[in-house]
Amino acid sequence: QVQLRESGPGLVRPSGTLSLTCAVSGGSISSDNWWSWVRQPPGKGLEWIGEIYHSGSTNYNPSLKSRVTISVDKSKNQFSLKLSSVTAADTAVYYCAKSNGRPTARSFDIWGRGTMVTVSS
Amino acid sequence: QSVLTQPPSVSGAPGQRVTISCTGSSSNIGADYDVHWYQQLPGTAPKLLIYRNTNRPSGVPDRFSGSKSGTSASLAITGLQAEDEADYYCQSYDSSLSGSRVFGGGTKLTVL
């Protein structure tokens, strides 16, 4: 059973870059799956950030695309998120998640436990 | 405002049946793209509850069921139990947003 675990700084300064990593265990990141980041501001709903395939192919939420980079490290079986120029509005719990299937039918079947990131000076 | 619209809250007594709606448009649900549902218990990560409109992952009780028609989808929960109290989210694909995956705003289910 694949398991995901997020890691990274819990506090980021405004205008800085948020950097998180998701470690994949119990399976290979090079399997036929897509790997996503989803965030949830305190007391609010879920927002998809973007996804990556092991080939390096990515898709991003248009509202965040100019600030987001998702990358994959097959040697470490992990993928990463970088979000630049952060503001307080980027304060959220960040989840990594696994999905598969055709683009119009992908659901997130495995989730990490999430990591809280606060943007504050 | 979310691309998919859900009621902010629903409630029901133990044993009752409740439904949660998810209304979209011609660029997502109405385009016949699949709808998925997630349950988020307090303080935990979301859990996949229904995938591709009507399918339950292994381990999800058959008290949970999904349906889709036109530009809307619904999640039904029968035989309501106290442990069903949670937030529920629908999710689909939207072709007007560069192929973005979109969520509903979430519905808080209260078991009375």
Side-chain angles (χ1 to χ4, degrees):
Chain A
Q1 172 77 331
V2 171
Q3 292 185 310
L4 306 175
R5 186 180 69 231
E6 305 89 349
S7 62
L11 179 65
V12 181
R13 304 301 184 194
S15 78
T17 297
L18 179 158
S19 296
L20 297 174
T21 295
C22 180
V24 179
S25 60
S28 173
I29 202 167
S30 296
S31 56
D32 188 22
N33 294 298
W34 285 79
W35 308 94
S36 280
W37 289 96
V38 177
R39 70 180 183 178
Q40 185 173 36
K44 296 187 178 181
L46 302 168
E47 180 180 36
W48 177 73
I49 299 170
E51 63 186 1
I52 191 166
Y53 196 67
H54 62 77
S55 63
S57 180
T58 54
N59 295 303
Y60 296 131
N61 185 326
S63 68
L64 298 169
K65 187 174 183 177
S66 63
R67 299 194 292 130
V68 173
T69 301
I70 298 176
S71 59
V72 64
D73 186 335
K74 288 184 280 188
S75 67
K76 295 183 178 179
N77 217 39
Q78 64 186 33
F79 61 106
S80 299
L81 167 70
K82 290 189 184 298
L83 181 65
S84 64
S85 305
V86 298
T87 69
D90 295 310
T91 293
V93 175
Y94 285 76
Y95 297 100
C96 55
K98 179 182 81 68
S99 64
N100 55 31
R102 63 185 190 278
T104 60
R106 281 181 207 139
S107 58
F108 304 108
D109 58 349
I110 303 291
W111 294 70
R113 297 174 73 172
T115 187
M116 180 69 200
V117 178
T118 301
V119 178
S120 175
S121 56
Chain B
Q1 281 74 2
S2 302
V3 172
L4 304 179
T5 301
Q6 297 180 235
S9 64
V10 298
S11 63
Q16 284 190 332
R17 178 182 186 269
V18 296
T19 61
I20 299 172
S21 62
C22 175
T23 303
S25 67
S26 59
S27 63
N28 42 69
I29 299 175
D32 203 25
Y33 298 141
D34 290 329
V35 177
H36 321 287
W37 291 91
Y38 302 86
Q39 177 192 60
Q40 187 175 33
L41 297 171
T44 69
K47 167 192 166 184
L48 181 63
L49 200 63
I50 298 288
Y51 65 96
R52 294 179 200 161
N53 309 312
T54 61
N55 299 279
R56 285 186 308 276
S58 174
V60 173
D62 60 7
R63 301 187 296 104
F64 295 91
S65 63
S67 64
K68 190 183 85 168
S69 179
T71 58
S72 294
S74 290
L75 172 70
I77 310 172
T78 59
L80 207 55
Q81 299 180 3
E83 63 254 37
D84 298 334
E85 187 159 293
D87 294 322
Y88 293 83
Y89 294 89
C90 60
Q91 178 246 315
S92 187
Y93 172 93
D94 193 293
S95 58
S96 71
L97 297 173
S98 302
S100 194
R101 305 185 191 296
V102 293
F103 287 95
T107 298
K108 169 67 177 177
L109 169 62
T110 300
V111 181
L112 303 172

